[in-house]
Amino acid sequence: TYLAKTETLRGAVMISGPQDECIGCADGGKYWIDDGPYTSGQASYAALGHGNEPMFSVMADNWGRMQAAAGGGMNWETAEPADVGSALDTDVADVIRSPLRTLTG
């Protein structure tokens, strides 16, 4: 995520991340992930996390923060994670549309 923010990339894949969290910040506090625009604004972003990961809610929040900071410059239609089970039937269109949440054991 940080590379996509600071360097021009053609794409970025986030697996189980970003897990950065602003601990001790006031409610609504901002940190690096909130500052846009992202240098790789028109790149394709893909994100994946397992729904049972302890930090999944932090990742999902960060995906939303990224989309807001990009000001519509991201490929996701929504930052709301799509439930894809084991992801066996997932295709490129799913990956580009939104972050993915796997839910298998």
Side-chain angles (χ1 to χ4, degrees):
T1 308
Y2 186 76
L3 281 177
K5 181 167 181 46
T6 60
E7 305 292 330
T8 302
L9 306 176
R10 293 183 67 196
V13 177
M14 296 163 279
I15 300 173
S16 294
Q19 295 186 8
D20 298 69
E21 186 175 20
C22 193
I23 298 170
C25 295
D27 284 345
K30 295 185 180 248
Y31 58 110
W32 72 267
I33 208 163
D34 296 303
D35 295 328
Y38 279 51
T39 302
S40 301
Q42 296 304 315
S44 291
Y45 290 84
L48 170 70
H50 192 283
N52 290 338
E53 290 185 65
M55 298 289 285
F56 187 84
S57 63
V58 172
M59 290 184 287
D61 182 61
N62 284 334
W63 296 330
R65 288 173 175 264
M66 288 175 60
Q67 187 178 42
M74 291 184 75
N75 52 277
W76 295 332
E77 293 173 13
T78 178
E80 180 66 30
D83 294 331
V84 293
S86 62
L88 293 176
D89 295 320
T90 304
D91 61 24
V92 173
D94 297 321
V95 173
I96 292 173
R97 188 174 15 261
S98 69
L100 305 177
R101 172 181 25 226
T102 59
L103 296 170
T104 58

